[in-house]
Amino acid sequence: MAESIAPTPPPSAPGLAVVTGGTAGIGLAFAERLAARGHDLLLVARDTARLEETAQRLRAAHGVEVDVLALDLSSRSDLAVLEARVADPVEPVALLVNNAGFGLKMPLLDNDVEAEQQMLDVLVTAVMRLTHAALGAMVARGSGRIVNVSSVAGYLPRGTYGAAKAYVTALSEWADLTYGRPTDGAVQVMALCPGFVRTEFHERMDVGRDAVPSFLWLDVDDLVDGALRDLDAGRRLSVPSRRYKALSTLARHTPWGLLGGLQSMGRK
C-alpha cells in the first residue's frame, strides 16, 4: 500500500519536534514517543493549562526540553506565529507533526458556514501554510521531516472533513515526491491516514463508540508506533493496520455511489 523509498534511520541527534494538537489523542501519543526518542519538543494547542501539565510530565519522564505555545490555528495571526517559528533557520525544526484538527458531526447544510470555515482553516489552511514554512527551511538546509495527519476519510464520501483530508494526503505525497531526498532520506513528507482511533476526537463530536463496529477502532499508541516505523522506513504514506490498508485500496477503486452508505458511520 505505502510506497517505500530509501530506509531512513532515526537521526543520531534527534533535534526539535513540533507537534500541533499535542495534548490529546494522536498528538499526545506522538509527543510521548518523540520525547522518549530524545527529541526536544514544542507543543501547540489552545488550552494553556493542559499544555503546561503535559510539558511538565514529559520533561520529568524523559529529561527533554519541552516548550509550549497556546495558539488557535484557525486564527491567521496565531498561525503566523507558528509559521515563523517552524521556518526559523537559527533554531531549526527537525520534525513537524501537523496533527491539530476536529470534525463536525452534521453534514454541510446542517452546519453554520462559519463552523465549516473554521474546520477548513485548521485542517487545510494551517497544514498548507505550516508545511510551506517548515519545508522551505528543511529543503534549504537539506534535512527535516514532516508528518501530516490525514485520514482514510479522504478516500471516502465523508463530506467536507473527507474533502479536507483528501487535500492533506495529496499535498503530502506530492511534496515528498517533489522536495524529498530519496537518495539519502534527508527531507521527507509523510501522510498518516488512520481510521477510527480511540481518542477524545469522537467524544468532542458527541459521537458514541457504538456508532462504529468495534473491529474498526484503532489503539492510538499502536497507531503512532506504526507511523514512526513507516517514517523511519522512508515512506510517504502510512495507513495503519491490514483492515484499513484493504479498505483504502478498495475505496480508491469503488465508485462513490456504491460507497455512499458509509457517510453516516461514526456520526450518530
Side-chain angles (χ1 to χ4, degrees), residues 17 19 21-23 25-37 39 41 43 54 58 62 64 66 97 224:
V19 183
T23 59
I26 294 173
L28 177 58
F30 265 111
E32 290 170 340
R33 293 303 191 272
L34 294 173
R37 286 182 168 210
H39 284 275
L41 297 174
L43 303 181
T54 303
L58 292 174
H62 302 289
V64 296
V66 185
V97 180
V224 171

Side-chain angles (χ1 to χ4, degrees), residues 17-22 26-27 30 34 42 44 73 79 82-83 86 93 95-101 121-135 138 145-151 165 167-168 171-172 189-194:
V18 176
V19 183
T20 69
I26 294 173
F30 265 111
L34 294 173
L42 173 60
V44 182
L73 297 185
L79 180 57
L82 188 54
E83 288 177 63
V86 300
V93 172
L95 172 61
L96 168 64
V97 180
N98 276 317
N99 164 77
D121 289 341
V122 174
L123 297 187
V124 173
T125 302
V127 171
M128 181 276 290
R129 294 184 71 95
L130 292 172
T131 297
H132 184 278
L135 189 59
M138 291 172 179
R145 300 192 287 183
I146 298 172
V147 175
N148 288 329
V149 178
S150 187
S151 173
K165 292 304 187 179
Y167 174 90
V168 172
L171 171 69
S172 304
V189 183
M190 185 183 83
L192 169 60
C193 295

